[in-house]
Amino acid sequence: MTNRKKSLGIYLLMSAAAVAIAFPVLWMFIMSVKPTDELYQFPPTIWPDKWEFGNYTKALFEAGIDNGLINSLILAVGTLALSVTLSFPAAYALAKYEFKGKTILLLAILATQLIPGMAAIVPLFDILQRMHLVNTYTGLILIYTARTLPLNIWILKGFFQSIPNELIESSMVDGSSKIASLYRVALPLALPGIGAAAMFTFMQTWIDFILPLTMLFNEDKFPFSVMLYKFVGDPIMGTNYGVLFAAAALGTIPTLLIFALLQRFFVQGLTAGGVKG
């Protein structure tokens, strides 16, 4: 088989895989613009006979998904700011300084990712209750920060290790302090890693369902993911699948935008964190 045929085969295989992965998302958008009677039609139509954008209006202004999106944004941005800010100096210290117990500390940070999320819900609820942070965004942001911090440290550590020490040392020779060198030299060079960590943190927080369902009690505080669940099986109106698909599509857009903007950094971050010691 020639190289050209091999390349064509790989291209077709990758195209088929991309279509298979994207199909559920495309189907969700198609279902969100179908009229109600067409949603229940059998056999189902692949392309809508009539486009119905009223589902988006109902989802935003009648079902209140706009409030859920704002709540999700508060949680995601708050977690992103806290997690990236804390992981930045920790990753720099682990990448650039040698100290006793460093390897054990790195393994311990990584080992926290092995704890199943479901196993930690009851202890976390008890801790938040003692701190009077149940049913608050602050409590959830602290939990999300603790959950995303280990991987962010590893991602940024890989980037800091790729920065030559000579650059930082030359900055210190010119009169900069260690902290000034960190922010003037290391920070700009580590921006791809920060982008990767930011993307990972945003996506992990945006799609979470179990923690806000467990820790929040007031419906006006529910994020987008929990509000979608509340749309299913309404005891009075039943499930309005058109509005449900429209709300799901609206909630997918921010994640797609973040991924489109930062996907290059995300791949670099995973690669750097995986190959650096």
Side-chain angles (χ1 to χ4, degrees):
M1 184 180 291
T2 63
N3 289 335
R4 186 175 180 182
K5 288 183 178 178
K6 282 184 180 178
S7 300
L8 181 61
I10 293 173
Y11 176 78
L12 291 175
L13 188 62
M14 293 180 68
S15 299
V19 171
I21 293 171
F23 180 76
V25 179
L26 294 175
W27 188 247
M28 176 182 66
F29 281 103
I30 290 172
M31 294 292 283
S32 69
V33 295
K34 282 186 176 182
T36 302
D37 55 345
E38 196 174 345
L39 283 172
Y40 298 97
Q41 183 177 326
F42 187 83
T45 56
I46 295 178
W47 202 252
D49 294 331
K50 180 183 175 184
W51 293 68
E52 178 58 65
F53 290 100
N55 291 329
Y56 284 89
T57 307
K58 291 178 183 176
L60 277 174
F61 304 113
E62 296 180 21
I65 198 66
D66 56 333
N67 188 51
L69 292 171
I70 292 172
N71 294 339
S72 291
L73 196 62
I74 292 171
L75 291 172
V77 173
T79 304
L80 190 155
L82 191 58
S83 181
V84 173
T85 301
L86 292 177
S87 60
F88 180 74
Y92 183 80
L94 289 167
K96 294 299 182 185
Y97 294 98
E98 295 296 330
F99 52 88
K100 191 176 181 180
K102 176 181 171 181
T103 303
I104 296 176
L105 178 59
L106 282 169
L107 292 175
I109 292 172
L110 194 60
T112 58
Q113 296 297 289
L114 302 177
I115 301 174
M118 293 294 291
I121 286 181
V122 174
L124 287 173
F125 185 87
D126 186 53
I127 292 171
L128 289 190
Q129 196 170 35
R130 291 171 186 270
M131 297 171 67
H132 305 287
L133 291 176
V134 174
N135 197 32
T136 65
Y137 293 144
T138 303
L140 268 180
I141 288 173
L142 290 176
I143 293 175
Y144 287 141
T145 299
R147 196 166 69 174
T148 56
L149 199 57
L151 190 54
N152 284 345
I153 289 175
W154 271 87
I155 290 174
L156 290 174
K157 173 179 167 290
F159 272 87
F160 283 131
Q161 284 180 321
S162 67
I163 299 174
N165 291 332
E166 290 77 8
L167 287 176
I168 299 172
E169 290 169 357
S170 62
S171 172
M172 295 174 66
V173 169
D174 290 338
S176 297
S177 64
K178 290 184 178 180
I179 296 179
S181 300
L182 169 63
Y183 287 98
R184 290 176 182 170
V185 179
L187 176 61
L189 295 175
L191 283 179
I194 294 173
M199 180 179 169
F200 165 76
T201 304
F202 184 90
M203 293 180 68
Q204 285 290 310
T205 309
W206 187 267
I207 63 175
D208 188 56
F209 170 74
I210 294 296
L211 280 174
L213 181 67
T214 308
M215 305 293 178
L216 298 176
F217 305 143
N218 297 342
E219 290 195 5
D220 60 344
K221 293 184 177 180
F222 285 164
F224 147 78
S225 56
V226 178
M227 290 199 71
L228 275 188
Y229 168 70
K230 295 296 180 183
F231 284 175
V232 179
D234 186 276
I236 299 175
M237 302 298 293
T239 301
N240 189 329
Y241 285 102
V243 176
L244 179 63
F245 281 114
L250 288 169
T252 306
I253 291 173
T255 309
L256 292 177
L257 290 176
I258 290 290
F259 189 81
L261 291 173
L262 302 177
Q263 57 89 18
R264 179 167 57 89
F265 298 149
F266 186 63
V267 173
Q268 290 179 4
L270 291 181
T271 305
V275 299
K276 297 296 182 182

